């Protein structure tokens, strides 16, 4: 049995210290070690995007990153998106308004991908093609994407950027 | 937890990484993990020791000299995609990176990892072959450089020794009057390419003075179409020339599978070579006028 490896990972602003096996990927760390089950697991080999979280602000597939690799880094998951009282943030509200989800399995990953785009937008208007290219990294089997593209375009207009 | 148990090491220098690879049994270097970790999750790869190259500062970044770009092997695909220096001085590489995976994988995936994984459907090896990148690898005995031609050894296999790591690649700056194009065909954008092509073109007046035509997806490693290059060189790039090059591409012996059999890939190779030459030609004109 390989040695356990001590890690200190900042998730949604809270610091968690654990000892983990090197083979534990970040998605399992989030779900099993600190009970944040909002990050979903679909394929566990980097295809579906359900496990998308932000590491130091950049979207990554958390099934393709080891928990030990995030030692000392900050991770944002879907649990950190809404306000403490449960008020939806603009991305969540827009997805709800535009019927951008049905079963919701893909939604945590979709929200984190759009969140990264909002951070990186530099205040410019995104095109539908760019939105579709970004969302192509998140598989959705229910919605047909139109609702989530509409939602993303709404929160990625200069007027609505930076409103969280 | 999906992979078999392994030990994890995070060296902070190339020398330490090489020493770990040399001394530990069944050790593998980990770059961005966008190919190796899926293989480990599927247990198609089962290293006993994983040597993470992610904390070695020397391996990251794009450095510009008068005539070259030196790109660290651990530079992420996302930073290449956004690099103004790459867009300006190596636009073919920029265009190839635009086709690599999704933003969520480009944030982690590295140029060195993609080159060393050498997937036949990957874009960066095709660009590397067309751009004649030089590879520098470091092992216990020091560093050596090799051309792209010396790099592939077989399917998903390079000529790197098990205790060597790719540290950086050098690529000459593309000159403003050179035309270029990277095109690929796949069923969904961001998938691996079924067939891809990279073209780099220099004209002397109306005539082709130098051209590189490289195909991906038809063999285990990128194929340089020497015959097409020879046919094009010294001639005008007119429809006849495009057709001749396309015919050579479509006649090249080709690997395939059930989904994309050889005849299909050969057809794609012909079409893509014709389109890429046309696009590269347009770009030589744009830059001359600019
Ligand atoms: S679970 Fe990570 S990409 Fe599917
Ligand atoms: S809402 Fe069901 S998979 Fe996307």
């Amino acid at each position: 049995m390989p040695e356990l490896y001590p890690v200190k990972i900042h998730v949604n602003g809270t610091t968690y210290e654990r000892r983990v096996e090197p083979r534990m990927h970040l998605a399992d760390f989030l779900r099993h070690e600190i009970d944040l089950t909002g990050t979903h697991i679909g394929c566990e080999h980097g295809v579906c995007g359900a496990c998308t979280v932000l590491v130091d602000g950049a979207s990554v597939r958390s099934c393709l990153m080891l928990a030990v690799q995030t030692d000392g880094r900050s991770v944002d998951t879907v649990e950190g998106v809404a306000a403490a009282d449960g008020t939806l943030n603009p991305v969540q509200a827009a997805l709800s308004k535009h019927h951008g989800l049905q079963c919701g399995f893909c939604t945590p990953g979709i929200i984190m991908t759009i969140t990264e785009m909002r951070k990186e937008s530099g205040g410019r208007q995104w095109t539908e093609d760019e939105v579709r290219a970004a969302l192509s990294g998140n598989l959705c089997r229910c919605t047909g994407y139109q609702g989530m593209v509409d939602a993303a375009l709404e929160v990625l207009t200069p007027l609505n950027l930076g409103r969280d | 937890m999906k992979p078999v148990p392994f030990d994890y090491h995070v060296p902070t220098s190339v020398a330490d990484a090489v020493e770990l690879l040399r001394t530990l049994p069944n050790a593998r270097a980990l770059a961005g993990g966008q190919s190796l970790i899926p293989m480990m999750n599927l247990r198609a790869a089962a290293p006993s020791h994983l040597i993470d190259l992610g904390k070695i500062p020397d391996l990251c970044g794009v450095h510009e000299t008068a005539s070259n770009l030196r790109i660290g092997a651990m530079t992420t695909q996302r930073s290449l995609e956004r690099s103004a220096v790459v867009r300006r001085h190596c636009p073919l590489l920029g265009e190839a990176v635009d086709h690599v995976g999704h933003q969520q994988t480009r944030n982690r995936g590295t140029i060195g990892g993609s080159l060393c994984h050498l997937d036949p459907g990957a874009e960066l090896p095709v660009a590397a072959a067309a751009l004649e990148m030089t590879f520098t690898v470091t092992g216990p005995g020091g560093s050596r450089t090799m051309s792209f031609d010396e790099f592939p050894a077989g399917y998903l296999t390079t000529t790197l020794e098990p205790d060597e790591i790719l540290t950086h690649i050098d690529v000459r700056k593309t000159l403003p009057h050179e035309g270029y194009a990277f095109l690929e065909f796949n069923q969904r954008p961001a998938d691996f390419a079924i067939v891809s092509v990279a073209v780099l073109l220099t004209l002397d007046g109306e005539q082709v003075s130098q051209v590189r035509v490289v195909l991906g997806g038809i063999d285990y490693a990128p194929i340089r179409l020497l015959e097409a290059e020879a046919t094009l060189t010294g001639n005008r790039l007119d429809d006849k020339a495009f057709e001749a090059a396309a015919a050579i591409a479509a006649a090249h012996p080709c690997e395939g599978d059930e989904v994309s059999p050889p005849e299909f890939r050969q057809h794609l190779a012909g079409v893509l070579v014709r389109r890429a030459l046309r696009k590269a030609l347009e770009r030589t004109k744009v830059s001359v006028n600019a």
Side-chain angles (χ1 to χ4, degrees), chain A residues 100-107 110 138-145 148:
Chain A
L101 64 151
Q102 187 177 316
C103 78
F105 194 83
C106 67
T107 311
I110 302 279
N138 295 85
L139 294 187
C140 175
R141 297 293 84 181
C142 303
T143 63
Y145 286 88
M148 64 178 78

Side-chain angles (χ1 to χ4, degrees), chain A residues 2-3 5 21-24 28 44-45 59-61 63-65 68-69 113 116 120 134 136-138, chain B residues 1-8 10 30 34 37-38 41 43 50 52 78 82 102-105 107-108:
Chain A
E3 262 181 79
Y5 199 102
E21 272 193 68
R23 65 173 169 153
M24 173 177 280
D28 276 352
E44 286 190 284
H45 61 274
S59 64
V60 304
R61 303 217 185 295
C63 69
L64 297 190
M65 200 162 172
V68 291
Q69 292 183 293
T113 295
E116 180 190 43
E120 292 183 341
S136 72
N138 295 85
Chain B
M1 287 183 287
K2 307 275 282 189
V4 297
F6 57 84
D7 272 323
Y8 174 76
V10 217
L30 173 68
Q34 302 303 290
I37 300 215
N41 285 355
R43 300 204 173 188
L50 208 52
D52 187 350
R78 201 81 200 279
R82 292 170 170 174
H102 302 282
Q103 72 187 46
Q104 301 90 340
T105 60
N107 275 332
R108 296 286 305 157

Side-chain angles (χ1 to χ4, degrees), chain A residues 41-44 46-51 61 63:
Chain A
I41 288 179
C43 64
E44 286 190 284
V47 174
C48 72
C51 66
R61 303 217 185 295
C63 69

Side-chain angles (χ1 to χ4, degrees), chain B residues 82-165:
Chain B
R82 292 170 170 174
S83 159
V85 173
V86 168
R87 294 280 168 192
R88 156 143 10 148
H89 294 299
C90 204
L92 176 61
L93 178 61
E95 193 156 281
V97 168
D98 288 337
H99 291 85
V100 177
H102 302 282
Q103 72 187 46
Q104 301 90 340
T105 60
R106 289 195 299 271
N107 275 332
R108 296 286 305 157
T110 64
I111 182 169
S114 174
L115 292 171
C116 291
H117 184 60
L118 203 68
D119 192 290
E123 291 82 2
L124 298 182
V126 178
L131 290 161
E132 299 177 79
M133 289 184 185
T134 307
F135 292 59
T136 302
V137 304
T138 301
S143 295
R144 64 187 175 108
T145 62
M146 59 176 134
S147 68
F148 183 82
D149 298 341
E150 302 165 89
F151 187 66
Y155 180 66
L156 298 183
T157 309
T158 71
T159 52
L160 253 64
E161 297 295 332
D163 53 8
E164 284 182 322
I165 59 175

